[in-house]
Structure formats: C-alpha cells, structure tokens
Amino acid sequence: MYMPSEHVEVKLTDCVGTIVLNRPDHGNALTRLMVRQLVEAFEDLYREKRVRAIILTGAADTFCAGNDLEEIVDASSLLSEWADSQERWGEDAADFRDVISRMLETPKPIIAAVNGAALSHGAGLVLACDIVVACEESVFGIPDPRRGIAAGVVAPLLSHRIGTGQAARLLLTSSIIDSAEAVRLGIFHELVEGDKTWARGVELARECAEGAPEALQLTKRLLSETIGEQLDTQLTAGAIIQATSFTTTAAEEGISAFLEERTPEWK
C-alpha cells in the first residue's frame, strides 16, 4: 500500500486519482525515493476501483526538471572514484525504467497535466502518459548530453512517440522546445492557460470515465501490446546505456558544470 509522502502526493477527486510531484524548490526533480514511490502510487491507483483515470502533474509552476543531480553527486562523493558508483547508477536507471514500464502497462488512462518545464526524466514521464495537456508556458527537452549523460530510458520512448528522425534531432541537439513546437510534434496534445492544466486534466479524465471500465482496460492493453516487446527490450537496453554513461568522466564534468552553473570543458 502506498504510504503518504511529502514529495509524491496522491489525491482522490471523485473518479480521478492525481499524483503530484511536490518538490517545487527543486523543480520537482526526482530523488531515488520519489522514483520508487511513483511505482507504488501508480500501482495503488490502478488497484483503487473508484479511480477511472490518473493525472500526473507537478507542484507550483514546474512539471519535472529531471532527476536530482545534486543527490547523484552527493552519493558519488561517498566513494573513492566516480566510476565506482556503477552499481548505483545501474539501480537508478533500472528503477526509472520500472516507472516508465508501470505507466505504459497501467490499464487506466494516464493524463499528464504539464504545468511548466518537462525536462530529462520529466520528459520521459510525459511521454509515458496517454494524453498530455500542457500550459502555453511549458517547455520540453532532453538536455542530458550537455550534462555528459545518455538519456537511455527516455530515448526509445521519444522515438516511438514522434519517430526516429525528430527524436534524433531533439536528442542530439539537446534542444528545449516550446509548447507550440511540442504540439506540432505530437508530444503535447492540447494547450490551456497556465493555471488550468489540472482542471482540464480532470475534464479529460471524466470524459474517459464515461467509457466502460472493461473497454478502457482492454483498449490500453491493446495499446500496450502494440508497443510490444521491442520497446520493452529497448527500454532495458537503454537503462544499461544510461547507467554506463554515468560512470564516465564526461558525466562527472557535465554534472559538476551544471551544478556550478558553468560551461563544461569536454576532453
């Protein structure tokens, strides 16, 4: 059973379950604990019969800025060498893959109410949702390469959603695109005013709830099976690549430069 959390809040509103990423002072960046709690939250809302659809959103004016790089640096500093953290990097990547897989497999509609920036891991959470409503101020991007990291888990899902060509453009340039471009690419499905993303998400959830629960579950099952084993294999392979990228000196420099607000010096 999901335990109440300060940073991952779960709320019930009639037939709608809402998961709120609640670290606004850190851009709702995901800690290791939050990643594990997300899996539990989705699992519990799936089992809650009253819930017909799930909304994922962020507190304040950010959806999710990615994973908590400060936590990563703090953890690695406990070891003698950056690369010695490889086992931990592997666990982190596998845990995030599990979140994405849980979302894709959940037989209830999941709606992203994107109320601000959705970057890196936050972009991955958006891509794992079935319906995406965003505010006009929202931005989307995967700037991981500029931090010396390969976005191994997010990349296959981005390619599945928008095609290999556009995915390559966004990933290789580390572009952060505005909401209009995200709509054009099919990442966001509609735009609303900034303070209305959750409310619109509730409207969409209630529209979904007008369908028979069994029909919705079968439809999501069909969508999941259409994605198929190939994407699941790619997510697992991507998690390995992502973990490996964290062991490099490039990641050490890129993350340090990001936290120190300077330009990285690549070797």
Side-chain angles (χ1 to χ4, degrees):
M1 184 70 179
Y2 177 75
M3 299 300 292
S5 165
E6 178 184 0
H7 294 147
V8 177
E9 296 184 354
V10 177
K11 304 177 181 179
L12 296 181
T13 307
D14 298 327
C15 63
V16 182
T18 300
I19 299 174
V20 182
L21 304 175
N22 188 30
R23 292 185 75 213
D25 293 342
H26 296 81
N28 298 322
L30 300 176
T31 63
R32 293 183 172 98
L33 179 59
M34 288 172 68
V35 169
R36 293 192 294 271
Q37 289 175 335
L38 274 175
V39 175
E40 296 172 3
F42 279 112
E43 183 67 27
D44 274 10
L45 289 177
Y46 156 61
R47 296 181 183 279
E48 176 56 64
K49 291 184 178 180
R50 290 177 295 169
V51 172
R52 301 287 300 280
I54 301 168
I55 297 173
L56 178 63
T57 193
D61 57 358
T62 302
F63 179 76
C64 176
N67 56 338
D68 190 335
L69 297 181
E70 290 183 354
E71 183 183 54
I72 289 173
V73 170
D74 289 343
S76 64
S77 67
L78 298 176
L79 302 171
S80 58
E81 296 290 342
W82 179 273
D84 288 344
S85 301
Q86 185 165 5
E87 183 177 351
R88 173 59 66 87
W89 307 151
E91 293 173 356
D92 291 346
D95 285 347
F96 186 62
R97 177 206 59 203
D98 290 346
V99 172
I100 298 301
S101 295
R102 176 70 269 181
M103 293 175 68
L104 294 173
E105 294 168 1
T106 295
K108 295 181 178 181
I110 301 177
I111 301 164
V114 184
N115 54 312
L119 306 174
S120 300
H121 279 31
L125 293 176
V126 169
L127 294 167
C129 291
D130 303 299
I131 304 171
V132 182
V133 55
C135 67
E136 296 174 351
E137 297 79 16
S138 296
V139 295
F140 176 96
I142 306 169
D144 299 49
R146 296 186 183 182
R147 299 167 190 172
I149 308 165
V153 176
V154 180
L157 190 53
L158 180 66
S159 180
H160 171 77
R161 295 299 193 200
I162 68 172
T164 304
Q166 292 288 8
R169 176 175 71 89
L170 295 184
L171 288 163
L172 297 178
T173 62
S174 301
S175 297
I176 296 177
I177 59 175
D178 62 20
S179 59
E181 176 73 355
V183 169
R184 187 185 71 80
L185 293 176
I187 298 169
F188 296 165
H189 299 138
E190 62 176 272
L191 300 179
V192 297
E193 294 180 11
D195 59 348
K196 296 181 179 178
T197 52
W198 181 79
R200 178 55 181 153
V202 171
E203 290 178 353
L204 290 167
R206 288 174 174 160
E207 288 181 25
C208 292
E210 292 180 5
E214 295 84 353
L216 288 176
Q217 292 183 20
L218 287 171
T219 300
K220 276 219 62 177
R221 177 180 173 183
L222 176 62
L223 292 171
S224 179
E225 290 179 350
T226 300
I227 293 173
E229 295 182 1
Q230 183 177 4
L231 179 57
D232 187 61
T233 299
Q234 291 173 344
L235 291 173
T236 299
I240 295 171
I241 291 173
Q242 179 174 306
T244 301
S245 74
F246 270 101
T247 69
T248 65
T249 56
E252 184 175 9
E253 167 61 15
I255 293 173
S256 296
F258 172 75
L259 295 176
E260 296 167 9
E261 300 181 355
R262 60 176 175 83
T263 301
E265 297 179 3
W266 308 121
K267 296 181 180 180

